[in-house]
Amino acid sequence: RGGGTASGPVSFMKGYDAFAGVIKSGGKTRRAAKMVILNIDHPDIHDFIRCKAEEEKKAWALIEAGYDGGFNVPGGAYDSVFYQNANHSVRVTDEFMQAVLDDREWSTRNVLDGDIAETYRARDLLRAMAEATHVCGDPGMQFDTTINRWHTCKATDRIYASNPCSEYMFLDDTACNLASLNLKRFVNAEGRFDVVDFIHAVDLTVTAMEILVDNSSYPTARIAANSHDYRPLGLGYANLGALLMSWGVPYDSEQGRATAAAITALMCGQAYATSARLASQSGAFPGYPRNEASMLEVIDLHRDQVRHIDAELIPGDLLVAAQDAWNRARTLGGEYGFRNSQVTVLAPTGTIGFLMDCDTTGVEPELALVKYKKLVGGGVMRIVNQSVEPALEHLGYGPQERLQILEHIEETGTSEGAPGLKPEHLAVFDCSFLPAGGTRSIHYLGHLRMMAAVQPFLSGAISKTINLPSSVTVEEISDAYLEAWRLGLKAVALYRDGSKRTQPLS
């Protein structure tokens, strides 16, 4: 009314970012984690897309001027620029992505009256995202239409956002109890995946998580009320990459994807079956009656996806167990409802992965055969992969051959050129990062296809970084975003190796 101009969300983000830098989470060693999302039709979307990349360039200048380039260093380069306490994501619809494919225009709209603000070429907006991601890894993308198609509680409201790591997506003002299973713990003495043990672990863990809903404390009364009314859970796993490698199965292979899909399908189907059994004793979650139709619709969507898993590539008992679990979930759920609106996500499992003695986190492949982790407070931990020797044994290499190959990897950081290693086995040891002395790494499509294999069997989404080599082009990043949408992912984040002047793992 006074003739001024609204400053918009990007300017207010600076304030929230500063507060997040002051408020420490996880004790005193970590800053708050925060997700910031803007819709693709917002008038300030262009500024939002570029804002973090512009600050990244300022950090580079400060580092070159002598400021400390480490994260969490008071007064350092990254401590002196904005937007470092948040992950940024652009929320896009199928309509926008189709406009990119068709090379059509895209209009942003005023928030209050819906009138057209500005009109862009849709491809120019996607390219701007790819350029910014090339610089600093942000923004990621969230696919709104896909997210809400798989939403179990459509009658209550839409899903607008996610947690900072993008795996938990549900109604506003809800909280999710997370837990993860170490997949390698379910390999029996014969080297096979123990389906019976895994089902038991899912039953036990889901029951424990359900008990936690009523015994947890929540930051606000509204979050507490919604968490009790919808009771969402986030069971997941870690060590998938290590499991596949130890079996001599390449991460980027049809067999690797089929194995991951079957394990994830069994976990989610069994979790929903357990939730339905709990509902038979304790009643469905209070928000279930109004959402019964959408909940059962999504259960059917999950169940129908099991038939797309290639039965010839995995043990028969694993696929049969997954099919049985989803049939039980649908039958029991149809009769009693479900105790929990959601049951599974794939979280990062970073710190807890190390505590659980995992080689790999979440759904990630190995980052490197030999990797270095910077420790908060200083120092570096050298981590040598523990899955190489069992993989070599599984592939038929003798003790002396294994020793020579392992010594080569210890010295060089790569399996390439290892004495006696057969060329057809090199793919088993491919990792996210290109090794210093090697030429092989997992292609970005390998990451995306693994996510696409497991996404149909998750209530939420996947926290995973698509690792790209430093040489990747802006066009390839743009193509990766398009492919993520085509494959049915709910969200995707890309990181070009070395794009930031400091990174925790190398």
Side-chain angles (χ1 to χ4, degrees):
R1 270 181 288 187
T5 303
S7 54
V10 179
S11 60
F12 279 92
M13 281 159 49
K14 290 182 178 178
Y16 288 121
D17 180 72
F19 280 126
V22 172
I23 301 165
K24 307 280 186 178
S25 73
K28 64 185 183 199
T29 61
R30 228 175 76 179
R31 290 184 290 190
K34 193 159 68 75
M35 173 64 81
V36 180
I37 300 166
L38 202 64
N39 295 338
I40 192 65
D41 61 356
H42 194 285
D44 292 340
I45 191 64
H46 205 266
D47 290 342
F48 177 80
I49 289 168
R50 296 172 53 197
C51 68
K52 202 164 178 181
E54 295 301 321
E55 295 299 309
E56 180 71 24
K57 291 172 185 175
K58 292 178 190 175
W60 296 349
L62 289 169
I63 292 168
E64 286 163 13
Y67 287 83
D68 194 309
F71 287 129
N72 298 328
V73 176
Y78 285 102
D79 190 52
S80 305
V81 298
F82 288 109
Y83 311 127
Q84 300 306 301
N85 297 295
N87 295 322
H88 289 189
S89 286
V90 177
R91 188 87 163 197
V92 300
T93 58
D94 279 3
E95 185 185 3
F96 170 77
M97 298 304 285
Q98 194 61 50
V100 171
L101 289 181
D102 299 340
D103 198 13
R104 287 189 276 112
E105 291 183 332
W106 179 260
S107 295
T108 59
R109 296 186 175 273
N110 297 334
V111 174
L112 293 182
D113 60 23
D115 289 346
I116 290 176
E118 288 186 73
T119 299
Y120 300 90
R121 186 181 173 214
R123 286 185 180 177
D124 288 344
L125 286 173
L126 183 63
R127 182 174 177 86
M129 290 183 233
E131 287 172 347
T133 301
H134 191 270
V135 170
C136 67
D138 279 271
M141 292 182 77
Q142 296 194 352
F143 302 108
D144 181 85
T145 311
T146 305
I147 290 165
N148 281 289
R149 184 183 302 128
W150 291 82
H151 179 24
T152 57
C153 293
K154 296 179 181 72
T156 301
D157 198 0
R158 303 179 80 258
I159 296 175
Y160 297 100
S162 75
N163 72 324
C165 297
S166 218
E167 79 273 11
Y168 176 57
M169 298 179 169
F170 196 49
L171 299 167
D172 282 0
D173 293 300
T174 55
C176 187
N177 288 298
L178 299 181
S180 292
L181 302 170
N182 179 352
L183 292 182
K184 282 189 77 173
R185 296 291 187 191
F186 299 95
V187 177
N188 61 24
E190 291 78 45
R192 293 172 61 84
F193 193 79
D194 195 318
V195 170
V196 174
D197 271 9
F198 189 65
I199 289 171
H200 177 68
V202 172
D203 283 345
L204 192 69
T205 312
V206 167
T207 306
M209 295 162 76
E210 158 58 24
I211 292 168
L212 275 177
V213 172
D214 291 326
N215 287 276
S216 293
S217 59
Y218 300 91
T220 70
R222 183 171 173 78
I223 292 175
N226 282 333
S227 298
H228 291 134
D229 285 347
Y230 294 93
R231 314 183 75 79
L233 308 179
L235 179 64
Y237 55 67
N239 234 7
L240 173 73
L243 177 73
L244 294 175
M245 187 181 287
S246 68
W247 278 342
V249 176
Y251 184 89
D252 184 10
S253 68
E254 293 296 337
Q255 186 181 1
R257 289 185 280 273
T259 302
I263 290 171
T264 315
L266 175 56
M267 178 179 73
C268 192
Q270 188 61 35
Y272 270 126
T274 302
S275 182
R277 283 215 323 277
L278 291 166
S280 74
Q281 301 297 312
S282 305
F285 64 90
Y288 179 76
R290 66 193 293 201
N291 289 291
E292 181 178 13
S294 63
M295 181 103 199
L296 293 175
E297 175 194 8
V298 171
I299 296 294
D300 286 337
L301 282 175
H302 287 299
R303 183 170 66 159
D304 289 345
Q305 289 294 314
V306 179
R307 61 190 173 86
H308 295 301
I309 302 173
D310 191 336
E312 294 183 5
L313 297 174
I314 54 172
D317 62 335
L318 182 56
L319 189 57
V320 169
Q323 291 166 333
D324 288 348
W326 281 107
N327 289 336
R328 278 198 309 278
R330 183 60 177 84
T331 302
L332 291 170
E335 187 171 353
Y336 302 111
F338 296 89
R339 186 66 177 159
N340 312 95
S341 57
Q342 292 196 353
V343 290
T344 54
V345 302
L346 283 181
T349 67
T351 304
I352 68 163
F354 285 111
L355 288 171
M356 293 196 298
D357 211 18
C358 296
D359 272 333
T360 62
T361 57
V363 72
E364 299 279 5
E366 233 339 326
L367 280 166
L369 297 180
V370 179
K371 55 186 181 282
Y372 298 86
K373 178 172 171 53
K374 289 183 181 175
L375 302 176
V376 174
V380 173
M381 180 195 297
R382 185 172 187 267
I383 306 162
V384 179
N385 186 287
Q386 299 299 305
S387 304
V388 175
E389 184 162 21
L392 292 169
E393 188 175 358
H394 205 94
L395 293 168
Y397 292 90
Q400 190 59 36
E401 292 174 305
R402 296 201 299 270
L403 182 63
Q404 289 178 331
I405 293 168
L406 286 167
E407 285 176 350
H408 175 85
I409 291 171
E410 280 261 13
E411 289 171 13
T412 66
T414 177
S415 61
E416 295 171 64
L421 185 62
K422 296 173 184 175
E424 62 266 29
H425 294 156
L426 280 170
V428 171
F429 306 103
D430 286 348
C431 300
S432 290
F433 288 162
L434 189 70
T439 61
R440 299 178 60 96
S441 64
I442 295 170
H443 193 270
Y444 69 82
L445 285 174
H447 292 276
L448 291 171
R449 288 170 183 154
M450 179 58 84
M451 292 177 74
V454 300
Q455 180 60 79
F457 309 112
L458 296 166
S459 302
I462 306 163
S463 174
K464 172 170 172 26
T465 301
I466 309 300
N467 292 100
L468 304 165
S470 59
S471 59
V472 75
T473 65
V474 171
E475 288 72 23
E476 287 173 315
I477 291 175
S478 185
D479 289 345
Y481 279 139
L482 272 168
E483 191 62 20
W485 169 66
R486 285 194 194 98
L487 288 169
L489 303 187
K490 292 181 179 180
V492 65
L494 309 177
Y495 180 70
R496 183 173 68 89
D497 187 28
S499 58
K500 295 183 86 70
R501 296 297 163 94
T502 183
Q503 60 190 42
L505 282 163
S506 59

